[in-house]
């Protein structure tokens, strides 16, 4: 048990040494309506997690861009919301969060089946690499947290959780007591229904981008779970229950 005590002591010391000034934290919470439903105890735990997150991770601006401290803090607070009841270990194995001022256009090379190399240049607002960095647009991170269902920070960090057990496929490591069959059934039924609605050009409450593939479906529905939980609960109640078990939160309550 000595290690356990040492760990707790180290954590306390880190929290004291790197404490976020009250004014900075209050301003971040005030700017993020997403956090207003949290209890005082949850907000306190989120503040501690965000403090440790900013200590453990390297949250910096891309070359030539000076990232403001208030934006760093907003990113940290939103990134830590999904792991509020899971712990920072869920973001282990990587360190970098690279932030661009706005949308960015990364160059990706890939080889097709016939061995031809292609280069893609897609405009992105966020990206998440397996065992690598999370990349975000500051403008879009700042627009997140307004409880409109869109949150690039939660989206990219949901991919990180998904990739804890290999490549992103919409199937993160489930907790003991959760059923893989129930997870797959809830998600595949909802995914099929959602793709049919998108194909029929229906005006969906959820971003049609979720129809891209099961990994994007999980990431987009995680955004909706935290931003507009009642909407998700109404449209796909079985998915809501699975996400509630996974994140160990019940934001619709
Ligand atoms: Zn994505």
């Amino acid at each position: 048990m000595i290690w356990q005590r040492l760990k707790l002591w180290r954590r306390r010391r880190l929290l004291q040494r790197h404490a976020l000034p009250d004014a900075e934290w209050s301003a971040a919470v005030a700017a993020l309506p997403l956090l207003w439903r949290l209890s005082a105890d949850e907000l306190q735990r989120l503040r501690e997690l965000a403090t440790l997150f900013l200590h453990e991770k390297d949250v910096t601006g891309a070359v030539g861009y000076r990232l403001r401290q208030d934006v760093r803090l907003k990113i940290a607070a939103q990134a830590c919301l999904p792991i509020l009841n899971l712990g920072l270990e869920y973001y282990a194995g990587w360190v970098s969060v690279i932030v661009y001022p706005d949308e960015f256009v990364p160059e990706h090379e890939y080889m097709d089946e016939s061995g031809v190399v292609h280069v893609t240049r897609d405009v992105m607002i966020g990206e998440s690499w397996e065992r690598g960095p999370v990349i975000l647009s500051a403008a879009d991170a700042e627009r997140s947290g307004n409880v409109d269902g869109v949150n690039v920070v939660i989206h990219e960090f949901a991919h990180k959780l998904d990739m804890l057990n290999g490549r992103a496929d919409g199937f993160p490591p489930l907790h003991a007591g959760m059923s893989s069959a129930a997870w797959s059934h809830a998600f595949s039924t909802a995914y099929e229904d959602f793709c049919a609605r998108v194909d029929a050009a229906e005006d969906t409450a959820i971003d049609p981008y979720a129809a891209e593939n099961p990994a994007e479906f999980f990431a987009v529905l995680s955004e909706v779970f935290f931003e507009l939980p009642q909407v998700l609960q109404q449209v796909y109640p079985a998915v809501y229950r699975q996400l509630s078990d996974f994140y160990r939160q019940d934001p619709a309550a």
Side-chain angles (χ1 to χ4, degrees):
M1 281 297 96
I2 186 80
W3 290 113
Q4 192 63 22
R5 270 168 52 203
L6 206 63
K7 227 176 106 182
L8 282 173
W9 174 81
R10 192 172 165 265
R11 183 188 155 102
R12 253 201 323 274
R13 207 181 53 157
L14 274 175
L15 284 171
Q16 281 165 0
R17 195 174 285 177
H18 301 276
L20 297 165
D22 284 340
E24 270 183 32
W25 175 250
S26 306
V29 174
L32 295 167
L34 173 67
L35 306 180
W36 298 354
R37 65 174 156 74
L38 298 183
S39 68
D41 164 68
E42 288 171 323
L43 270 178
Q44 179 54 33
R45 286 193 293 114
L46 186 71
R47 179 176 179 168
E48 291 181 6
L49 265 182
T51 308
L52 296 168
F53 179 92
L54 286 172
H55 174 73
E56 264 186 30
K57 305 298 180 200
D58 183 24
V59 187
T60 44
V63 180
Y65 171 54
R66 198 172 165 277
L67 182 62
R68 291 201 323 263
Q69 170 64 7
D70 62 310
V71 183
R72 284 180 85 234
L73 188 48
K74 274 195 213 166
I75 290 171
Q78 295 183 88
C80 289
L81 180 61
I83 55 159
L84 182 60
N85 294 330
L86 300 177
L88 202 51
E89 314 83 80
Y90 273 75
Y91 290 155
W94 56 275
V95 286
S96 266
V97 180
I98 302 165
V99 186
Y100 284 86
D102 211 321
E103 294 176 331
F104 51 97
V105 190
E107 257 187 27
H108 289 315
E109 268 189 17
Y110 73 95
M111 196 184 281
D112 67 19
E113 296 92 44
S114 48
V116 179
V117 174
H118 301 263
V119 178
T120 59
R121 292 181 190 84
D122 294 326
V123 177
M124 318 268 285
I125 60 168
E127 228 187 344
S128 212
W129 289 70
E130 196 180 334
R131 287 187 293 272
V134 170
I135 309 170
L136 291 167
S137 140
D140 291 275
E142 282 213 86
R143 270 193 286 274
S144 296
N146 284 317
V147 290
D148 57 2
V150 180
N151 192 310
V152 67
V153 182
I154 289 178
H155 182 106
E156 297 309 329
F157 283 85
H159 281 318
K160 274 291 179 199
L161 298 174
D162 189 357
M163 289 186 285
L164 279 170
N165 55 358
R167 43 183 308 180
D169 57 1
F171 205 109
L174 305 182
H175 308 300
M178 288 183 72
S179 149
S180 311
W183 178 280
S184 299
H185 185 256
F187 272 89
S188 55
T189 310
Y191 184 61
E192 219 169 286
D193 173 79
F194 188 72
C195 290
R197 287 170 192 266
V198 171
D199 284 344
E202 207 177 289
D203 196 9
T204 53
I206 296 163
D207 185 350
Y209 180 66
E212 192 81 4
N213 58 49
E216 296 308 330
F217 193 64
F218 168 70
V220 172
L221 264 54
S222 291
E223 297 176 62
V224 182
F225 176 78
F226 287 104
E227 288 254 338
L228 297 171
Q230 280 91 0
V231 169
L232 183 62
Q233 202 176 35
Q234 200 178 351
V235 185
Y236 297 125
V239 167
Y240 180 89
R241 276 194 300 276
Q242 291 300 320
L243 289 178
S244 176
D245 286 348
F246 176 67
Y247 287 115
R248 293 183 171 142
Q249 297 186 48
D250 189 6

